[in-house]
């Protein structure tokens, strides 16, 4: 959902799924947010948050640079399998990163994690998804990273997380 499209807009538009979650709901109380998420659950709106993007972008910039320069994969064993095209794109993203932007993104990620925990609590169907061409998101294995975040951040059981990437997604 692009920034500026609030959840009520999505409900009123009749949309049946949301990719990448929402801009965090900073002003609403927990009770107001849960009531909203219960509306999503009742309408059967599916959310595919791609949490792995938030995690990947919060890695310290110096570590990301060192990882990209490490063709042997000593820092990150998945690094040697990343295409040259993807590495070029990642280097461009790294060059555009700023401490101020990252600080703002940290708050967005924290609020989004809270919202996703509450969505799960309210019964919203959360499904596993990934992304590509985002720095530090590794094609293929990022799905495993996403499932780990479903357990650690959303508080799903491991079985629930696996189900969200397999049976429920199908």
């Amino acid at each position: 959902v692009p920034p500026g499209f609030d959840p009520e807009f999505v409900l009123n538009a009749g949309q049946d799924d949301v990719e990448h979650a929402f801009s965090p709901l900073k002003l609403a109380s927990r009770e107001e947010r849960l009531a909203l998420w219960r509306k999503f659950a009742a309408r059967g709106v599916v959310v595919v948050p791609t949490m792995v993007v938030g995690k990947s972008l919060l890695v310290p910039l110096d570590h990301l640079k060192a990882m990209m320069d490490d063709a042997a994969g000593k820092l990150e064993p998945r690094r040697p399998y990343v295409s040259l095209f993807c590495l070029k794109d990642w280097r461009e993203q790294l060059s555009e990163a700023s401490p101020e932007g990252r600080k703002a993104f940290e708050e967005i990620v924290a609020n989004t994690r809270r919202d996703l925990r509450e969505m799960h609590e309210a019964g919203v169907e959360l499904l596993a998804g990934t992304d590509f061409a985002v720095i530090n998101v590794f094609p293929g294995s990022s799905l495993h990273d996403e499932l780990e975040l479903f357990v650690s951040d959303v508080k799903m059981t491991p079985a629930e997380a696996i189900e969200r990437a397999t049976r429920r997604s199908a």
Side-chain angles (χ1 to χ4, degrees), residues 13-170:
Q15 192 165 324
D16 59 4
D17 72 282
V18 175
E19 305 293 322
H20 304 294
F22 300 96
S23 298
L25 305 174
K26 292 194 273 186
L27 301 177
S29 71
R30 173 178 158 73
E31 293 74 27
E32 291 169 320
R33 291 189 308 269
L34 283 170
L36 177 63
W37 303 139
R38 286 186 190 106
K39 289 181 190 177
F40 272 76
R43 290 234 187 119
V45 178
V46 174
V47 176
V48 183
T50 58
M51 296 175 67
V52 69
V53 171
K55 177 185 176 187
S56 69
L57 294 175
L58 293 179
V59 173
L61 294 175
D62 57 340
H63 180 81
L64 291 174
K65 182 179 181 340
M67 181 267 299
M68 284 190 284
D69 292 339
D70 177 26
K74 291 180 182 175
L75 290 173
E76 170 53 73
R78 300 175 288 184
R79 161 56 183 88
Y81 302 101
V82 176
S83 72
L84 293 176
F85 174 79
C86 187
L87 281 174
K88 181 179 178 184
D89 187 41
W90 285 7
R91 288 185 198 288
E92 183 178 331
Q93 291 174 47
L94 186 60
S95 74
E96 296 169 350
S98 72
E100 300 80 23
R102 289 175 62 81
K103 182 75 175 152
F105 193 68
E106 286 175 11
E107 183 179 341
I108 290 169
V109 169
N111 286 324
T112 298
R113 286 176 179 162
R114 176 209 62 212
D115 291 347
L116 291 168
R117 278 191 302 276
E118 291 174 354
M119 285 181 202
H120 179 57
E121 180 183 337
V124 173
E125 184 79 23
L126 299 173
L127 298 179
T130 64
D131 212 330
F132 178 69
V134 175
I135 193 170
N136 204 32
V137 174
F138 293 87
S141 64
S142 62
L143 180 59
H144 298 262
D145 298 333
E146 182 82 352
L147 296 178
E148 180 183 321
L149 292 168
F150 272 21
V151 173
S152 66
D153 291 6
V154 178
K155 306 303 181 198
M156 288 183 186
T157 66
E160 284 177 309
I162 290 169
E163 185 181 45
R164 303 309 171 101
T166 56
R167 186 175 71 85
R168 297 248 278 301
S169 291

